[in-house]
Amino acid sequence: MRGIKGGLDKIKKANPNFVEIAAKQVFRVPDIPSQADPLPKFQITAAQKKRAELMKKRADIRIGMPRVLNMYSQTPIFTGYFAALGIQSQNIVFSDYTSEEMYKEGAKRGAIDPCFPSKLGIPHVHNLLYKAHAKKPLDIIFFPMIDCLTSPLSHVQATRTCPTVATTPAAVKAAFVKEGDMFKERGIRFLDTFVNLSKADLFERQMYEEFKDILGLSPEENKRAVEAGYRALQFFENVTMRGEARQVLEQLEREDRIGVVLLGRPYHNDPGVNHEILEEFQKLGYPVFAQDSLPIDDDIIWRLFGPEVVAGECAGPLAINDVWKNSYSENTSRKVWAAKYVARHPNLVALELSSFKCGHDAPIYSVVEEIVEHSGTPYFCFKDIDENKPTGSIRIRVETIGYFLKRYREDMVRNKQKTMTIDQQLKEFEAKLRRQMLRDRMDDSRVLESFEHGSMPQIHVSIGALAASAPAAARVSGD
């Protein structure tokens, strides 16, 4: 058994799973310099004394956050914000990763039946209340209602989230206060702050209004903390994810191998939501890319999308207006753009995941599939996934896909070799034609002879003849 496990670990190390990496790294509290104000020098008025007291309490405040929904892509903004204000990293607590046990324990309070990722809101808050809080008391449970997301894309109509997902925190709060306020009973403040992450100035005001009387904020330090949060998100996206993914992608290109790209929503990074399907592909020797880990450096995206942009078919390498006009939902837009990326990269194949009752995925089922398959790129999907995990069916399906990908790679390598052979033959034929054209233009027999033998003929001229052929020196008149 140890040998088998050791072999699997070796395969997984050689083939990174960026979906798993993203699910872990996104919840790491960034180590960033403090942006907090110093304690007030003068504490004379009641307001000054109150603020100083609140500022001193920051180091001891414990904040719990559920590990669900768009927190799988946006958490660094919030952890960066809190860390910049002096909240200790050990006091920023997350619920456990989704498991069958957690879902069964906490889902009993649900009164509505949305998609599975939204239903997980209640079990995760339940986990914070009954496990994290029981272990060490929490002061705040922060579950923001995220209305708009940040976006790397261009020429989109909006960057909104799914309404069901955005309002899940409000539904969760109702579930825990309908028969008695379970937060108040435990001395916990539940905050379902409404935020817009696409506009930094608006987000700054929203966070200030929520936390000014909790943390004793000044507008200036709040602004600095928000900026630190955005920097933390940019580092996570561009360095932690895309930076490492680029190295793996370049390795695939050098070795003529294949990588699998997950086309999904941020919460499909949750191992309890994706049912660890991606890990099965990793075990077969295929690196797995999250769609947000696809590198967007200029040299790569212009190589993939440049010809279409130059031809006027697309507004830019990060635009999707050529294939999808209704680009108001950010996670939908990212999924469509990732499908375009996969369709243009010869070393990537697409694997789409979609949850049962996902109203935003339904309109783009055919769009995503056609984008990928139109280019001849393999497309696979697991749709309508929910809380049930059919382990046997998943493994059989993955093994079937793995067999196909093995044959696909063999064909890819064979076709590449054929293309290289044809290119080499064309180069040799072109060189032969150029030599023939040069020969046809040469009439001098000596030059023809030199062309055949590879050297110019020797010409013997005496020194006297060279001196006689020199031009006469010009005479300068003295007049």
Side-chain angles (χ1 to χ4, degrees), residues 116 143 160 211 236 263 318 344 346 424-425 439 457:
F116 177 52
F143 194 179
R160 296 199 173 277
F211 286 99
F236 166 73
L263 303 181
L318 292 170
R344 285 153 182 78
Q424 182 62 32
Q425 291 175 347
R439 184 183 291 112

Side-chain angles (χ1 to χ4, degrees), residues 110-314:
I112 57 176
D113 189 29
C115 63
F116 177 52
S118 292
K119 286 194 285 188
L120 286 173
I122 293 175
H124 276 263
V125 172
H126 182 274
N127 180 264
L128 287 171
L129 282 172
Y130 286 88
K131 286 195 173 180
H133 181 72
K135 186 177 181 181
K136 191 173 182 180
L138 299 172
D139 299 293
I140 297 170
I141 290 181
F142 181 60
F143 194 179
M145 292 192 285
I146 304 175
D147 179 46
C148 290
L149 303 172
T150 57
S151 177
L153 304 181
S154 65
H155 301 86
V156 293
Q157 295 179 352
T159 61
R160 296 199 173 277
T161 62
C162 165
T164 300
V165 169
T167 56
T168 291
V172 170
K173 181 179 181 180
F176 286 94
V177 299
K178 64 179 180 180
E179 296 175 354
D181 193 333
M182 298 187 65
F183 303 115
K184 189 175 181 179
E185 292 173 4
R186 290 165 173 75
I188 297 175
R189 185 178 302 191
F190 184 89
L191 302 178
D192 54 349
T193 314
F194 190 88
V195 296
N196 183 329
L197 302 181
S198 66
K199 297 180 179 179
D201 55 345
L202 180 56
F203 175 62
E204 177 189 329
R205 187 168 75 246
Q206 291 166 334
M207 293 297 280
Y208 178 71
E209 292 297 327
E210 186 69 271
F211 286 99
K212 64 179 181 180
D213 295 329
I214 299 175
L215 302 177
L217 294 178
S218 70
E220 293 77 18
E221 67 174 339
N222 179 73
K223 178 180 176 64
R224 295 193 299 269
V226 166
E227 292 172 349
Y230 278 102
R231 287 195 297 271
L233 179 64
Q234 290 171 2
F235 185 88
F236 166 73
E237 292 177 336
N238 296 320
V239 179
T240 305
M241 296 304 299
R242 295 187 181 117
E244 295 184 19
R246 170 161 186 159
Q247 297 178 20
V248 176
L249 188 58
E250 290 175 343
Q251 182 181 1
L252 294 182
E253 293 173 354
R254 290 193 302 269
E255 299 175 358
D256 294 324
R257 294 172 55 216
I258 293 173
V260 177
V261 178
L262 167 63
L263 303 181
R265 299 183 178 272
Y267 35 83
H268 287 124
N269 293 352
D270 185 339
V273 175
N274 65 41
H275 297 319
E276 300 176 322
I277 294 173
L278 294 313
E279 186 178 353
E280 297 297 325
F281 285 96
Q282 185 186 17
K283 291 176 182 177
L284 294 178
Y286 298 104
V288 179
F289 296 85
Q291 63 188 32
D292 289 341
S293 72
L294 295 174
I296 57 174
D297 303 284
D298 284 344
D299 60 322
I300 293 182
I301 59 176
W302 279 99
R303 169 161 57 94
L304 298 178
F305 300 100
E308 299 168 50
V309 177
V310 173
E313 298 173 7
C314 185

Side-chain angles (χ1 to χ4, degrees), residues 9-34:
D9 290 342
K10 187 176 180 180
I11 293 174
K12 291 171 69 174
K13 184 178 181 180
N15 300 278
N17 180 354
F18 287 98
V19 172
E20 181 182 11
I21 293 172
K24 293 179 179 178
Q25 295 295 325
V26 75
F27 297 110
R28 290 190 64 180
V29 179
D31 184 14
I32 56 179
S34 173

Side-chain angles (χ1 to χ4, degrees), residues 153 263-264 291 305 319-327 329-344 360 363-365 367-368 371-372:
L153 304 181
L263 303 181
Q291 63 188 32
F305 300 100
I320 60 170
N321 57 340
D322 57 324
V323 293
W324 183 245
K325 306 298 182 183
N326 302 316
S327 54
S329 170
E330 174 61 18
N331 287 330
T332 298
S333 298
R334 292 193 191 193
K335 193 173 188 178
V336 172
W337 181 83
K340 289 181 59 181
Y341 193 107
V342 173
R344 285 153 182 78
H360 280 259
I364 62 168
Y365 281 157
V367 175
V368 170
I371 288 173
V372 177

